[in-house]
Amino acid sequence: MPDTALDITGWTCPAPLRDRPRIVMGHGGGGALSAELVEHLFAPAFGGELLAGLGDSAALTLGGVRMAFSTDSYVVRPLFFPGGSIGDLAVNGTVNDLAMSGAQAAYLSCGFILEEGVEVSAVARVAEALGAAARAAGVEVATGDTKVVEAGHGDGIYLNTAGIGLIPDGVDLRPQRVVPGDVVIVSGEIGLHGVAIMSVREGLEFGVDIESDCAPLGGLVRSMLAVTPDIHVLRDPTRGGLAASLNEIAAASGTGVVIEEAKVPVPPAVANACAILGLDPLYVANEGKLVAFVPRAHADAVLDALHVHPLGRHAAVIGEAVESHPGLVVARTGFGGTRVVDLPLGEQLPRIC
């Protein structure tokens, strides 16, 4: 063979190289690439102790009042999908991020970034959906902004929402509180949002209608905290799915996590779709579910409270935090073996929120 250097700079692959000099889709997927971008680029540039927590929202004190503050941007494609729209996502996503700190959302801001040429009727539908979702979640859109970009420089409509809410006294939700023996609870069936988005985007049919689980979780969290404020951590497993949330908690707490694969509630339609497409439901996005790490003494009571709430009727205990393999998530399979559930590199399904 000729002695020449192999040039791979033009090559592409589903899992982009982590040392690439340009942003790739995986940097927005909620997995390892996203974490590296935040931890090694944004966090050092911004500084600050609050940001270092890297939670779904920042828990802060202002004027002697404890509150949560969060922001998120939404670039989902398509704009409308079974079970919701980009407007619903913009409200529920931010409301849920605040709820993961125990806060009841009070006020939202909303920014519309519109592409020149988008139909005004589509903008109106999104705005109406956003307003209805805000009212359903008990939150007020208090301020906003609108920008327009040239045709070809957007994708119809992008949204940004930021929110604030008060954190009740005695509530301290953060992964550093997780200890071995904590019980892992998921609030319901996983994978619905990601599969719903994919089905309409790609024109796929799975023999049954699949709708997004997009919903506000504030009321569900309040019902859990009414049982006990001593819940250690909550996360809503959106981008990267349940696997990403469990890995983030394990890494931040320094504990290991063991889940029972057979106990994870996966609806048959999602399981079948994932089997056909070669996807793992643990990595598929959700928009109306949470995962909780709860002291064992309170686990049964919290689970009972979840089952009473409409959004928690399929809640299940799926595992526990352990001393062994700190920072690692392991699943026990139905065949009696175990497998490591890694943090995803990027995202199986891009542009899902």
Side-chain angles (χ1 to χ4, degrees):
M1 295 179 64
D3 186 15
T4 58
L6 183 63
D7 182 7
I8 65 170
T9 56
W11 290 15
T12 60
C13 63
L17 299 177
R18 292 161 83 160
D19 60 352
R20 292 184 67 150
R22 297 181 185 274
I23 295 295
V24 296
M25 289 299 294
H27 282 115
L33 288 175
S34 292
E36 290 177 358
L37 190 67
V38 171
E39 293 173 12
H40 300 297
L41 191 155
F42 292 128
F46 299 160
E49 294 182 2
L50 286 173
L51 184 63
L54 299 179
D56 289 335
S57 60
L60 49 90
T61 301
L62 185 62
V65 177
R66 290 186 71 221
M67 63 177 62
F69 177 43
S70 183
T71 186
D72 211 339
S73 300
Y74 299 87
V75 297
V76 65
R77 180 169 57 87
L79 298 175
F80 306 95
F81 48 83
S85 71
I86 191 173
D88 300 280
L89 280 178
V91 171
N92 294 336
T94 297
V95 164
N96 293 347
D97 283 347
L98 295 173
M100 297 308 102
S101 291
Q104 170 64 31
Y107 299 103
L108 296 181
S109 71
C110 178
F112 274 73
I113 301 172
L114 308 176
E115 182 183 15
E116 180 185 22
V118 67
E119 294 183 358
V120 173
S121 60
V123 179
R125 285 182 63 194
V126 170
E128 289 167 2
L130 193 151
R135 291 187 289 274
V139 64
E140 181 177 352
V141 180
T143 188
D145 182 49
T146 305
K147 294 291 188 296
V148 178
V149 299
E150 298 89 343
H153 290 265
D155 197 7
I157 302 172
Y158 295 152
L159 295 179
N160 173 272
T161 47
I164 57 173
L166 300 181
I167 301 175
D169 292 337
V171 174
D172 183 16
L173 297 171
R174 50 192 174 89
Q176 291 77 13
R177 295 193 64 219
V178 171
V179 295
D182 280 357
V183 173
V184 181
I185 299 175
V186 66
S187 66
E189 296 176 325
I190 66 168
L192 289 163
H193 178 71
V195 172
I197 294 293
M198 179 179 56
S199 66
V200 293
R201 182 188 298 171
E202 306 300 336
L204 301 175
E205 295 184 4
F206 301 109
V208 62
D209 292 334
I210 300 176
E211 292 192 352
S212 169
D213 60 344
C214 184
L217 295 173
L220 186 67
V221 171
R222 288 195 299 276
S223 69
M224 297 169 68
L225 294 175
V227 172
T228 175
D230 189 28
I231 294 171
H232 286 167
V233 69
L234 298 175
R235 281 286 188 273
D236 58 331
T238 54
R239 297 176 303 165
L242 182 61
S245 292
L246 293 176
N247 272 277
E248 290 166 4
I249 293 170
S253 65
T255 64
V257 175
V258 176
I259 63 171
E260 300 288 341
E261 206 166 49
K263 294 183 179 180
V264 179
V266 180
V270 170
N272 292 338
C274 288
I276 292 170
L277 299 168
L279 302 177
D280 187 335
L282 293 177
Y283 294 92
V284 178
N286 313 272
E287 287 292 346
K289 301 296 184 297
L290 62 80
V291 59
F293 282 63
V294 181
R296 188 169 297 277
H298 303 304
D300 288 342
V302 169
L303 189 63
D304 289 342
L306 284 167
H307 286 158
V308 171
H309 195 281
L311 295 178
R313 60 185 182 273
H314 296 298
V317 172
I318 63 169
E320 64 178 340
V322 296
E323 289 186 19
S324 57
H325 52 78
L328 196 66
V329 180
V330 170
R332 294 195 181 106
T333 70
F335 298 102
T338 60
R339 66 181 178 102
V340 174
V341 180
D342 287 324
L343 184 67
L345 184 64
E347 185 174 30
Q348 294 185 112
L349 307 171
R351 301 284 300 279
I352 45 77
C353 65

